[in-house]
Amino acid sequence: MLQLEDTYRHKGQRKALVKLLKQKGIQDDAILNAINTLPRHFFFDSALDSHAYEDKAFPIGEGQTISQPYTVAFQTELLQLKPGDKVLEIGTGSGYQGAILHILGADVHSIEYQKKLFTHTKKFLTKLGIHLHFYFGDGSKGIVEQAPFDKILVTAGAPVVPNSLLKQLKIGGVLVIPVGDRVTQKMLRLTKKSATKIVKEEFDNFAFVPLLGEEGWK
Ligand code: SAM
């Protein structure tokens, strides 16, 4: 059962989580404020409520997870968001990451491959008053009808960088994507400097559920 009450205890736990994220190296105040604003326990079943402010990923059903808060903050920082940016998020999942992008002023287009999660999260975020553009389908190919995007954020682990995603980025646009095997992936940031020039930066290793689909894991 979902619970939508934000108590002093929850607020205190959220503050402590934000402090921890700062200690782990997250510097962007807008992102820290967004995490401090958004009740993460709303995204949890009430049976798991006591875990909502641990810096951990948790199951959300269908074999999928809500990302660890540090991972959400780190990926969001890498995106270098500007208010109004048109962002494609691949892997809507619980909707937590998409909601953070929305609070930061992005125009969020989020796609999910699992029908049950798509249906549940679309309904849930809308109820919270968080209006994203929701899509059901294979995000490894991007969303060609909505391209180009200022930023693309992949929240599942890919075997390679999907070509379609690079094509659907604006010049000057940024793609953040974990790439590796099914167990661990290196976080990459790819910046599209021109139609033919992509600058690639590599960061730490993470452990995501696999990006499935035509340009993901088969
Ligand atoms: N952003 C999510 C959140 O805040 O809860 C975390 C999502 S979870 C780590 C990864 C999600 O990617 C899962 O919900 C999974 O079903 C989805 N996924 C995997 N392959 C996909 C694909 N090809 N297209 C869209 N979603 C995909």
Side-chain angles (χ1 to χ4, degrees):
M1 207 178 71
L2 290 168
Q3 59 142 9
L4 298 179
E5 196 193 349
D6 194 23
T7 64
Y8 279 114
R9 176 176 63 84
H10 292 119
K11 288 183 176 118
Q13 289 175 328
R14 220 154 47 239
K15 264 212 166 110
L17 173 64
V18 166
K19 195 173 162 201
L20 178 69
L21 296 178
K22 257 188 180 167
Q23 283 165 0
K24 288 187 170 182
I26 303 298
Q27 291 177 356
D28 188 319
D29 283 333
I31 295 171
L32 293 167
N33 282 338
I35 289 173
N36 198 33
T37 305
L38 183 64
R40 189 171 184 250
H41 65 282
F42 285 4
F43 296 75
F44 279 57
D45 191 276
S46 53
L48 291 172
D49 176 88
S50 61
H51 299 288
Y53 296 102
E54 291 171 13
D55 189 22
K56 286 185 185 157
F58 267 94
I60 53 171
E62 307 307 304
Q64 303 304 327
T65 53
I66 178 171
S67 298
Q68 183 182 345
Y70 174 75
T71 305
V72 170
F74 187 75
Q75 286 200 292
T76 308
E77 231 175 32
L78 288 183
L79 275 183
Q80 299 167 316
L81 267 191
K82 291 189 207 73
D85 271 355
K86 184 173 183 179
V87 180
L88 171 61
E89 181 200 17
I90 298 160
T92 311
S94 69
Y96 181 78
Q97 170 77 75
I100 293 286
L101 298 173
H102 172 83
I103 292 169
L104 290 167
D107 172 27
V108 184
H109 296 251
S110 187
I111 182 164
E112 173 56 52
Y113 208 28
Q114 302 259 0
K115 190 67 183 269
K116 268 196 185 162
L117 280 177
F118 160 77
T119 308
H120 166 83
T121 300
K122 181 178 175 182
K123 199 166 142 199
F124 167 65
L125 282 190
T126 306
K127 187 170 155 195
L128 284 187
I130 295 174
H131 299 287
L132 315 185
H133 308 273
F134 295 99
Y135 306 84
F136 166 59
D138 177 7
S140 73
K141 300 182 290 184
I143 307 178
V144 78
E145 313 80 54
Q146 290 298 333
F149 298 97
D150 296 293
K151 309 282 158 69
I152 300 180
L153 174 59
V154 183
T155 68
V160 291
V161 177
N163 258 328
S164 299
L165 300 187
L166 288 174
K167 276 196 201 136
Q168 290 174 33
L169 261 189
K170 285 186 190 170
I171 306 295
V174 172
L175 165 63
V176 172
I177 180 168
V179 174
D181 58 30
R182 279 175 177 267
V183 183
T184 50
Q185 306 88 26
K186 194 163 271 307
M187 193 66 74
L188 304 183
R189 174 166 64 191
L190 297 116
T191 306
K192 190 167 180 174
K193 296 288 186 188
S194 72
T196 52
K197 187 173 177 208
I198 307 281
V199 171
K200 180 170 115 180
E201 296 163 274
E202 294 190 0
F203 299 89
D204 285 346
N205 285 323
F206 288 80
F208 282 84
V209 295
L211 177 76
L212 304 175
E214 223 168 277
E215 296 189 47
W217 293 97
K218 301 287 182 299

